[in-house]
Amino acid sequence: MDWGMKNRFSRIIRPQDGRCLMLAVDHGYFLGPTERLEDARKTIAPLLPHADSLMLTRGILRNCVPAERDVPIVLRVSGGTSIIGEDLSKETITTSIEEAIKLNVSCLALSIFVGSKYEHQTLASLAKLVDEGEKYGIPVLAVTAVGKEMARDARYLGLACRIAAELGAHVVKTYYCENFEKVVEGCPVPLIIAGGKKLPELDALKLAYDSIQHGASGVDMGRNIWQSDHPVAMVKAVKAIVHNDADVKEAYNIFLKEREKTKTEPQKAPKALSQTASFD
Ligand code: R5P
C-alpha cells in the first residue's frame, strides 16, 4: 500500500487494535427518509463523537455533517435504484472519483449483488472503482448486498466476500451468519458486519459480540444504533465490544447505565420496519 492508501485505510480500520466502528447512515439512498433518519442532521449529531467513521452519500454529507468535523468519511458511491423501482440490484456508480477527492473522503463504498440479475454490472463497477481508488490512494469498501431470494449463509456470503476481495476491495461489509469463521477464512481482507433490521438492544449487542469473536474486524451498524430509543447509549455499548473487548453482559450494562445518564426522551416507537426490511 502506498502512503496515502495506508493513511486513509488506518482511518477506517484503526491500527491500534485493527478494529472499526463505522456508523451507517446511507439508507436513504434507496429507502428515502428511513424511520429515525428522516432528519439525518439530528440523528447524526449526537452519535458523531462516538463513531470511528461515517458511511453516507454525498448529499447527506454536504447537508448534514459540518465540514469542520474531523470524522473519517466512507462515501457511498453506488446507487441509482429505489425500494419501489424495478430491481434493487441494478446499481451503478453514482459519484465520481473527483467528487470523492473534493469531499476529502477516507474510503469509497459500493454494493455488489452476487447472484442477482445485475451481478455483472455491479461487479464490473467494483473493479472500476478499485482501479480509481488505487490511482488516488483511496480504499474501497465492498458491500455484499443480499437479495430477498438469497440465503444469508456462510456458503453464499463466503462466495460474495471472496469475489469482492478478488476484485480488489480493501474492506468488505457483509452479514453475520452461522459458521462465520468460514467466511472470514476465505476472505483475505478485513470483514465488517452490518447490523441489519432493528433488534432488541441485547440481541444487537450479541450480534456485534459474536461477529467480533468469530473474526470480524468491526461493525458498520446503522438501524440498531439510531433506531434505538437510546442511540447514544447504544453506540457506546457497541464501541465497548468493538474496541474494549467487552462481553455482551458488560456492554449491556454500559447501555443501561448510559441510558439512565442521558435520560433521553424516548421518541415514538418505530413503525413496522418492513419498509426497511426488503434489502435484508
Ligand atoms: C445497506 O447496504 C446499507 O448500506 C447500510 O449501510 C447497511 O445495511 C448497514 O446498516 P444496518 O446496520 O442498518 O443494516
Side-chain angles (χ1 to χ4, degrees), residues 20 22 44 46 49 55 108 125 169 171 182 199 225 238 249:
C20 147
M22 190 182 290
I44 293 169
M55 181 197 188
L108 305 162
S125 292
V171 191
K182 281 270 155 217
L199 302 166
I225 292 175
V238 174
K249 196 170 162 212

PDB file of all heavy atoms in Angstrom, residues 20 22 44 46 49 55 108 125 169 171 182 199 225 238 249:
ATOM      1  N   CYS A  20     -12.944  -1.532  13.890  1.00  0.00           N
ATOM      2  CA  CYS A  20     -13.647  -0.433  13.234  1.00  0.00           C
ATOM      3  C   CYS A  20     -15.095  -0.317  13.712  1.00  0.00           C
ATOM      4  O   CYS A  20     -15.821  -1.309  13.762  1.00  0.00           O
ATOM      5  CB  CYS A  20     -13.565  -0.728  11.742  1.00  0.00           C
ATOM      6  SG  CYS A  20     -14.931  -0.227  10.740  1.00  0.00           S
ATOM      7  N   MET A  22     -17.967   1.716  12.353  1.00  0.00           N
ATOM      8  CA  MET A  22     -18.468   2.601  11.297  1.00  0.00           C
ATOM      9  C   MET A  22     -19.970   2.808  11.540  1.00  0.00           C
ATOM     10  O   MET A  22     -20.686   1.832  11.758  1.00  0.00           O
ATOM     11  CB  MET A  22     -18.228   1.919   9.948  1.00  0.00           C
ATOM     12  CG  MET A  22     -18.448   2.761   8.732  1.00  0.00           C
ATOM     13  SD  MET A  22     -18.165   1.769   7.221  1.00  0.00           S
ATOM     14  CE  MET A  22     -16.408   1.504   7.246  1.00  0.00           C
ATOM     15  N   ILE A  44     -27.547  12.196  13.268  1.00  0.00           N
ATOM     16  CA  ILE A  44     -26.093  12.007  13.234  1.00  0.00           C
ATOM     17  C   ILE A  44     -25.383  12.776  14.362  1.00  0.00           C
ATOM     18  O   ILE A  44     -24.459  12.235  15.000  1.00  0.00           O
ATOM     19  CB  ILE A  44     -25.539  12.461  11.853  1.00  0.00           C
ATOM     20  CG1 ILE A  44     -26.041  11.522  10.743  1.00  0.00           C
ATOM     21  CG2 ILE A  44     -24.020  12.517  11.853  1.00  0.00           C
ATOM     22  CD1 ILE A  44     -25.773  12.030   9.319  1.00  0.00           C
ATOM     23  N   PRO A  46     -25.555  13.702  17.629  1.00  0.00           N
ATOM     24  CA  PRO A  46     -25.127  13.183  18.940  1.00  0.00           C
ATOM     25  C   PRO A  46     -24.269  11.919  18.860  1.00  0.00           C
ATOM     26  O   PRO A  46     -23.581  11.573  19.816  1.00  0.00           O
ATOM     27  CB  PRO A  46     -26.460  12.876  19.647  1.00  0.00           C
ATOM     28  CG  PRO A  46     -27.460  12.739  18.558  1.00  0.00           C
ATOM     29  CD  PRO A  46     -27.004  13.576  17.421  1.00  0.00           C
ATOM     30  N   PRO A  49     -19.487  11.949  17.937  1.00  0.00           N
ATOM     31  CA  PRO A  49     -18.289  11.812  18.780  1.00  0.00           C
ATOM     32  C   PRO A  49     -17.923  10.362  19.104  1.00  0.00           C
ATOM     33  O   PRO A  49     -16.820  10.107  19.554  1.00  0.00           O
ATOM     34  CB  PRO A  49     -18.688  12.550  20.073  1.00  0.00           C
ATOM     35  CG  PRO A  49     -19.895  13.336  19.743  1.00  0.00           C
ATOM     36  CD  PRO A  49     -20.563  12.687  18.587  1.00  0.00           C
ATOM     37  N   MET A  55     -20.601   6.355   7.318  1.00  0.00           N
ATOM     38  CA  MET A  55     -20.857   5.899   5.956  1.00  0.00           C
ATOM     39  C   MET A  55     -22.128   6.557   5.434  1.00  0.00           C
ATOM     40  O   MET A  55     -23.212   6.384   6.021  1.00  0.00           O
ATOM     41  CB  MET A  55     -21.029   4.384   5.953  1.00  0.00           C
ATOM     42  CG  MET A  55     -21.283   3.815   4.572  1.00  0.00           C
ATOM     43  SD  MET A  55     -21.949   2.184   4.686  1.00  0.00           S
ATOM     44  CE  MET A  55     -21.914   1.668   2.997  1.00  0.00           C
ATOM     45  N   LEU A 108     -14.239   4.646  -0.198  1.00  0.00           N
ATOM     46  CA  LEU A 108     -15.374   4.627  -1.135  1.00  0.00           C
ATOM     47  C   LEU A 108     -16.159   3.349  -0.884  1.00  0.00           C
ATOM     48  O   LEU A 108     -15.556   2.298  -0.671  1.00  0.00           O
ATOM     49  CB  LEU A 108     -14.853   4.618  -2.574  1.00  0.00           C
ATOM     50  CG  LEU A 108     -13.892   5.743  -2.962  1.00  0.00           C
ATOM     51  CD1 LEU A 108     -13.128   5.382  -4.228  1.00  0.00           C
ATOM     52  CD2 LEU A 108     -14.676   7.038  -3.145  1.00  0.00           C
ATOM     53  N   SER A 125     -18.511  -2.639 -11.808  1.00  0.00           N
ATOM     54  CA  SER A 125     -18.397  -1.324 -11.152  1.00  0.00           C
ATOM     55  C   SER A 125     -17.385  -1.384 -10.014  1.00  0.00           C
ATOM     56  O   SER A 125     -16.602  -0.449  -9.805  1.00  0.00           O
ATOM     57  CB  SER A 125     -19.746  -0.877 -10.584  1.00  0.00           C
ATOM     58  OG  SER A 125     -20.658  -0.601 -11.602  1.00  0.00           O
ATOM     59  N   ALA A 169     -11.315  -5.196  -3.501  1.00  0.00           N
ATOM     60  CA  ALA A 169     -11.852  -4.422  -2.366  1.00  0.00           C
ATOM     61  C   ALA A 169     -10.863  -4.490  -1.201  1.00  0.00           C
ATOM     62  O   ALA A 169     -10.241  -5.528  -0.968  1.00  0.00           O
ATOM     63  CB  ALA A 169     -13.206  -4.991  -1.941  1.00  0.00           C
ATOM     64  N   VAL A 171     -11.756  -3.591   2.020  1.00  0.00           N
ATOM     65  CA  VAL A 171     -12.569  -3.974   3.176  1.00  0.00           C
ATOM     66  C   VAL A 171     -13.877  -4.495   2.607  1.00  0.00           C
ATOM     67  O   VAL A 171     -14.329  -4.014   1.563  1.00  0.00           O
ATOM     68  CB  VAL A 171     -12.919  -2.766   4.087  1.00  0.00           C
ATOM     69  CG1 VAL A 171     -13.518  -3.215   5.403  1.00  0.00           C
ATOM     70  CG2 VAL A 171     -11.739  -1.871   4.347  1.00  0.00           C
ATOM     71  N   LYS A 182     -15.859 -19.381   8.558  1.00  0.00           N
ATOM     72  CA  LYS A 182     -15.596 -19.873   7.189  1.00  0.00           C
ATOM     73  C   LYS A 182     -15.544 -18.702   6.211  1.00  0.00           C
ATOM     74  O   LYS A 182     -14.735 -18.675   5.287  1.00  0.00           O
ATOM     75  CB  LYS A 182     -16.726 -20.827   6.742  1.00  0.00           C
ATOM     76  CG  LYS A 182     -16.584 -22.208   7.307  1.00  0.00           C
ATOM     77  CD  LYS A 182     -15.760 -23.045   6.326  1.00  0.00           C
ATOM     78  CE  LYS A 182     -15.069 -24.190   7.034  1.00  0.00           C
ATOM     79  NZ  LYS A 182     -13.735 -24.496   6.539  1.00  0.00           N
ATOM     80  N   LEU A 199     -33.128  -4.804  16.161  1.00  0.00           N
ATOM     81  CA  LEU A 199     -33.354  -5.904  17.106  1.00  0.00           C
ATOM     82  C   LEU A 199     -33.452  -5.299  18.503  1.00  0.00           C
ATOM     83  O   LEU A 199     -33.008  -4.164  18.724  1.00  0.00           O
ATOM     84  CB  LEU A 199     -32.145  -6.850  17.095  1.00  0.00           C
ATOM     85  CG  LEU A 199     -31.745  -7.501  15.765  1.00  0.00           C
ATOM     86  CD1 LEU A 199     -30.340  -8.107  15.874  1.00  0.00           C
ATOM     87  CD2 LEU A 199     -32.767  -8.569  15.391  1.00  0.00           C
ATOM     88  N   ILE A 225     -28.425   1.103  15.967  1.00  0.00           N
ATOM     89  CA  ILE A 225     -27.977   2.215  16.811  1.00  0.00           C
ATOM     90  C   ILE A 225     -29.029   3.323  16.799  1.00  0.00           C
ATOM     91  O   ILE A 225     -29.625   3.643  17.813  1.00  0.00           O
ATOM     92  CB  ILE A 225     -26.588   2.716  16.361  1.00  0.00           C
ATOM     93  CG1 ILE A 225     -25.542   1.617  16.665  1.00  0.00           C
ATOM     94  CG2 ILE A 225     -26.232   4.028  17.072  1.00  0.00           C
ATOM     95  CD1 ILE A 225     -24.147   1.902  16.184  1.00  0.00           C
ATOM     96  N   VAL A 238     -21.857  -0.605  21.866  1.00  0.00           N
ATOM     97  CA  VAL A 238     -21.243  -1.290  20.708  1.00  0.00           C
ATOM     98  C   VAL A 238     -19.739  -0.996  20.677  1.00  0.00           C
ATOM     99  O   VAL A 238     -18.916  -1.875  20.447  1.00  0.00           O
ATOM    100  CB  VAL A 238     -21.922  -0.856  19.384  1.00  0.00           C
ATOM    101  CG1 VAL A 238     -21.197  -1.444  18.183  1.00  0.00           C
ATOM    102  CG2 VAL A 238     -23.391  -1.278  19.365  1.00  0.00           C
ATOM    103  N   LYS A 249     -22.640  -9.014  28.359  1.00  0.00           N
ATOM    104  CA  LYS A 249     -23.184  -8.546  29.641  1.00  0.00           C
ATOM    105  C   LYS A 249     -22.595  -7.170  29.998  1.00  0.00           C
ATOM    106  O   LYS A 249     -23.319  -6.253  30.399  1.00  0.00           O
ATOM    107  CB  LYS A 249     -22.845  -9.580  30.723  1.00  0.00           C
ATOM    108  CG  LYS A 249     -23.635  -9.435  31.963  1.00  0.00           C
ATOM    109  CD  LYS A 249     -23.443 -10.607  32.890  1.00  0.00           C
ATOM    110  CE  LYS A 249     -23.894 -10.187  34.278  1.00  0.00           C
ATOM    111  NZ  LYS A 249     -23.143 -10.825  35.333  1.00  0.00           N
TER     112      LYS A 249
END
